[in-house]
Amino acid sequence: MASHRIERTTEDIKRELTAIFRELKDPRVSGAFLSIVRVEVTNDLSYCTVHVSAIEGLDRAKEAVKGLKSASGFVRRELGHRLKLRHVPELIFTATDSIEYSANISRILSSLDISSDVPESEDESDE
C-alpha cells in the first residue's frame, strides 16, 4: 500500500519539477531543451534522483545539471510549497543522453531502405 503513495508522489514530483524548470532563469537551464527522463524517490522520501536529458546531447545536459544543482535550494522550496510535503526530499540531478540516443536510433531506422512490396502468401492465392 505504501508503494502506491511513493508512485503517486514520484509522478507529482516529476510534474511539478517540469513546471519549475520552465520558471528558472539560469541560462544553463533555460537555454537548453530539457526533459525529465526518470524520477526515483527513496522509500523514506529523503532523496529524489532526477535523471535529466537534453536534446543537444550529453554535454549540454551536464551543463544544465550544474545549473540545477546551483538552483536546488529554490527548486526544493518551490516543490515543498506546491506539493505541501512535510519533508521535501533532497534532490540529486544526473545527466543522461537518452534523448540523443533515441534520436540517433530514429535516424538509423529512417535511413533503412525497406521496400513496401510484400509478396502475397500462397494461402491467399489458392482462394
Side-chain angles (χ1 to χ4, degrees):
M1 185 127 145
S3 66
H4 296 296
R5 180 174 181 257
I6 296 295
E7 290 172 10
R8 200 170 55 239
T9 304
T10 301
E11 288 301 316
D12 290 343
I13 288 173
K14 185 176 181 179
R15 183 187 68 243
E16 292 301 328
L17 282 177
T18 303
I20 293 170
F21 285 2
R22 290 187 196 129
E23 298 173 5
L24 290 177
K25 294 184 169 86
D26 190 333
R28 295 174 287 189
V29 178
S30 62
F33 181 71
L34 291 180
S35 176
I36 299 174
V37 177
R38 188 173 65 237
V39 175
E40 298 169 349
V41 180
T42 58
N43 288 335
D44 60 352
L45 294 175
S46 59
Y47 294 99
C48 176
T49 305
V50 181
H51 300 274
V52 179
S53 182
I55 198 154
E56 293 91 1
L58 186 60
D59 294 333
R60 186 70 172 129
K62 287 180 181 179
E63 283 297 314
V65 164
K66 289 179 185 176
L68 290 171
K69 284 182 181 178
S70 68
S72 65
F74 170 77
V75 172
R76 191 173 176 193
R77 181 175 55 93
E78 281 294 311
L79 198 59
H81 287 305
R82 293 178 184 204
L83 294 180
K84 309 242 186 303
L85 294 173
R86 180 176 292 176
H87 177 72
V88 181
E90 183 178 337
L91 300 172
I92 302 167
F93 297 103
T94 60
T96 64
D97 63 343
S98 61
I99 290 180
E100 182 184 20
Y101 181 73
S102 62
N104 188 28
I105 290 175
S106 178
R107 268 187 253 116
I108 291 170
L109 289 175
S110 65
S111 69
L112 293 176
D113 186 29
I114 301 174
S115 62
S116 61
D117 298 333
V118 180
E120 293 183 14
S121 66
E122 293 177 18
D123 295 334
E124 292 177 4
S125 60
D126 290 341
E127 292 177 11

